[in-house]
Amino acid sequence: MIKKLIRKILGVKEKHDPSRPQILSAAEHGIDPALVSPHALRVTQTLQQEGFAAFIVGGAVRDLLLGVKPKDFDIATNATPEQIKKLFRRAFIIGRRFQIVHVMFGQELLEVTTFRGPANGDAPKDEHGRVLRDNTFGEQHQDAARRDFSVNAMYYNPATQEVWDYHLGMADIRAKTLRIIGQPEARYREDPVRMLRVVRFAAKLQFKIAEETRAPITVMAPLINNVPAARVFDEMLKLLTSGHALACLQQLRSEGLHHGLLPLLDVVLEQPLGAKFVTLALANTDERVTQGKPVSPGFLFAALLWHQVLEKWNAYKAAGEFPIPALHLAADDVLDSQSDKLALQRKICTDMRDLWAMQPRFERRQGKTPYKLLEHPRFRAGLDFLELRAASGELDTELAQWWRDFYESDGPSRESLLQQKPREEGAPPAKKRRRSRRKSGPRSEGQAEGPRAGEAS
Ligand code: ATP
Ligand code: MG
């Protein structure tokens, strides 16, 4: 204590010891307890009553410190998965790489994990050094050292309202900085998904990435290719539905990280029309997330991959295939080429195919055909997709506007729309870019152009 005081007076900087937390009081961290989920409180209380240590941890603490209501809560404890499971009625042990316990209260899911020990040298790894399985339990400070970024390694005890900070996360929160814990290259090698995570957090929190944390990414990005496709898919989906997908993308591009890191986007971003289309789709998705509306992964991935489909579709048509079979062949090719990198679930693939297959049907505006298309269960999404195509300059906006009018009209008006001689009917879709001729018709519930579309590059 006296040593500490003397050092302080002399202005000697205390060397930080990551095995000892800095304990911050309520007055120092300023967390509003009202933002804590009552179920998270119940879990920590139950564990503590049984004599275990229990803290809210990870992203929830980070968000609480930023004054944001966390979307979900993770709990860390020294109780083992079996011990945790016994204390809650609806608790399930899941996970292979790490065993965790899912505790359910109604719709709310809480993830409860046992403190992890230091990565065991004998833990099975792939040939690139990625840890495949490691379930060693440990002390709280060891658990902190295994977390990804300093701002994600803080522990909040709602009973005492203390925050235990092992890696100077509070200082990084104040400096709005993301800093990986430990040696950056080693941490990315252990788990390359951390490279995607840092970009997502930077865009979502509007934090900068510390230089040592950012520097190795360009070189190490290809390691993402060795991560199981299902995990990349989960992380990509988190990124795309974070409400900051466009900012993530812009950050990736400005840091030169979009090559290799997000294989899916490599191709898309090379083509001017593709980039505009993706930008509009993401701006629109962000808008929906901000408004608390649901986002369909099928729509999102259909949009991201559309320009690849378009390119292949044209190639098949040029080779003499009829348009509809050509589109199906193109869809098969694109979905097949993605499946090894990105495990798109069957339901998502079906939605994507539906959306794509509907597109040529919008070109037929006579007789009973438009009425049939209206009955398609995914018509609304199909129309939103069509509107995105028009807004990106791929199609004449008149076609999208006609469908929007047709959809929103009643019987007699629909008939008169059917009588209209559509402009350029029968001509191939306009290839030239039409800029800012979009009519400001009524907006759909779905994925029409968002207000940030002006940021398109
Ligand atoms: P959000 O839920 O807002 O996306 P989060 O930080 O809570 O962000 P989760 O994926 O829910 O992210 O993970 C919870 C915590 O687990 C993280 O805050 C971090 O401490 C730890 N964690 C998650 N993934 C990793 C990883 N790949 N490597 C190391 N630690 C991780
Ligand atoms: Mg979380």
Side-chain angles (χ1 to χ4, degrees):
M1 194 67 197
I2 293 176
K3 229 168 149 186
K4 205 171 169 182
L5 195 69
I6 295 173
R7 279 169 162 270
K8 209 170 176 181
I9 294 165
L10 293 177
V12 179
K13 230 177 165 186
E14 263 311 290
K15 193 170 164 352
H16 171 67
D17 174 2
S19 65
R20 298 240 204 115
Q22 298 201 336
I23 300 183
L24 309 171
S25 67
E28 287 166 300
H29 59 66
I31 286 180
D32 174 3
L35 294 178
V36 176
S37 136
H39 296 135
L41 214 59
R42 198 153 133 198
V43 174
T44 51
Q45 267 169 3
T46 308
L47 285 159
Q48 288 168 355
Q49 276 159 14
E50 293 298 314
F52 297 113
F55 294 83
I56 294 170
V57 69
V61 181
R62 182 193 69 220
D63 290 346
L64 287 168
L65 288 168
L66 293 168
V68 177
K69 191 175 170 61
K71 62 174 170 42
D72 48 41
F73 285 82
D74 298 318
I75 314 284
T77 174
N78 59 357
T80 63
E82 290 298 336
Q83 288 169 324
I84 302 164
K85 186 174 157 40
K86 280 195 196 115
L87 295 176
F88 303 96
R89 202 166 54 83
R90 291 173 65 211
F92 314 92
I93 299 179
I94 62 143
R96 248 171 72 83
R97 186 166 177 271
F98 293 135
Q99 268 196 345
I100 57 182
V101 185
H102 276 176
V103 179
M104 305 283 307
F105 291 99
Q107 289 295 306
E108 190 173 349
L109 169 77
L110 294 116
E111 280 193 6
V112 188
T113 45
T114 309
F115 295 144
R116 305 281 156 196
N120 183 341
D122 302 335
K125 297 194 181 87
D126 73 4
E127 72 268 31
H128 307 281
R130 188 172 63 85
V131 176
L132 297 175
R133 219 171 14 263
D134 191 3
N135 257 320
T136 344
F137 300 137
E139 303 292 326
Q140 187 173 356
H141 71 90
Q142 296 171 326
D143 182 84
R146 291 191 54 166
R147 294 185 178 269
D148 46 8
F149 307 105
S150 64
V151 297
N152 283 348
M154 285 185 277
Y155 300 74
Y156 176 58
N157 180 351
T160 59
Q161 291 197 33
E162 283 172 355
V163 167
W164 291 26
D165 178 6
Y166 286 90
H167 293 275
L168 307 179
M170 193 65 202
D172 283 334
I173 289 257
R174 292 203 174 106
K176 294 187 173 293
T177 300
L178 287 158
R179 189 182 312 279
I180 199 159
I181 295 171
Q183 208 266 330
E185 280 88 353
R187 299 306 309 282
Y188 291 138
R189 198 170 295 283
E190 269 171 16
D191 184 7
V193 161
R194 291 172 186 149
M195 292 184 268
L196 286 179
R197 289 174 62 83
V198 75
V199 173
R200 171 162 67 90
F201 292 134
K204 174 176 159 174
L205 306 169
Q206 297 186 316
F207 275 29
K208 54 185 175 298
I209 304 176
E211 182 50 30
E212 323 78 76
T213 301
R214 193 194 59 81
I217 299 183
T218 333
V219 182
M220 300 189 79
L223 288 180
I224 298 273
N225 293 326
N226 310 316
V227 176
R231 201 154 167 249
V232 177
F233 172 80
D234 286 348
E235 201 53 42
M236 276 281 290
L237 195 59
K238 274 194 185 181
L239 191 150
L240 294 169
T241 57
S242 64
H244 304 270
L246 193 54
C248 278
L249 210 75
Q250 281 162 345
Q251 174 125 16
L252 282 169
R253 294 180 91 186
S254 70
E255 308 229 7
L257 298 179
H258 62 293
H259 282 287
L261 201 52
L262 298 174
L264 172 83
L265 298 178
D266 270 5
V267 196
V268 183
L269 293 172
E270 297 306 309
Q271 317 158 28
L273 276 181
K276 175 102 190 272
F277 184 81
V278 167
T279 306
L280 289 175
L282 293 183
N284 183 239
T285 304
D286 286 347
E287 178 75 7
R288 289 181 65 86
V289 174
T290 310
Q291 293 172 357
K293 292 182 183 169
V295 170
S296 135
F299 190 98
L300 201 50
F301 285 104
L304 290 174
L305 293 170
W306 171 242
H307 274 259
Q308 250 176 302
V309 173
L310 209 54
E311 195 180 295
K312 290 190 193 286
W313 187 21
N314 287 333
Y316 277 117
K317 283 192 288 192
E321 199 59 75
F322 285 111
I324 304 291
L327 178 58
H328 286 285
L329 288 170
D332 286 345
D333 283 0
V334 169
L335 289 174
D336 286 350
S337 73
Q338 287 298 326
S339 63
D340 53 334
K341 294 176 190 146
L342 200 71
L344 291 165
Q345 292 136 16
R346 193 184 295 262
K347 162 82 175 78
I348 295 180
C349 288
T350 311
D351 287 354
M352 291 165 75
R353 273 180 202 283
D354 274 1
L355 276 167
W356 293 336
M358 230 188 288
Q359 296 308 304
R361 296 178 63 186
F362 283 110
E363 312 236 342
R364 287 187 248 138
R365 286 189 266 172
Q366 270 142 6
K368 298 255 175 290
T369 330
Y371 287 104
K372 277 220 180 92
L373 190 51
L374 271 188
E375 284 164 20
H376 193 293
R378 309 266 300 134
F379 172 82
R380 287 285 300 272
L383 176 56
D384 288 345
F385 202 88
L386 182 79
E387 287 179 331
L388 265 183
R389 294 173 64 205
S392 74
E394 182 206 326
L395 289 176
D396 198 319
T397 48
E398 186 266 342
L399 179 69
Q401 188 61 50
W402 186 92
W403 273 100
R404 174 58 60 189
D405 293 342
F406 188 70
Y407 170 61
E408 286 174 355
S409 299
D410 52 11
S413 321
R414 277 187 182 158
E415 279 309 307
S416 71
L417 278 166
L418 283 174
Q419 301 312 317
Q420 269 179 21
K421 178 116 185 78
R423 192 172 73 216
E424 295 176 30
E425 179 76 306
K431 284 275 182 323
K432 58 180 183 280
R433 292 182 72 168
R434 307 180 68 95
R435 311 191 94 225
S436 62
R437 296 222 22 213
R438 197 171 20 88
K439 292 180 189 167
S440 52
R443 283 275 150 77
S444 78
E445 273 289 290
Q447 311 252 6
E449 186 185 356
R452 292 164 71 186
E455 291 173 17
S457 55

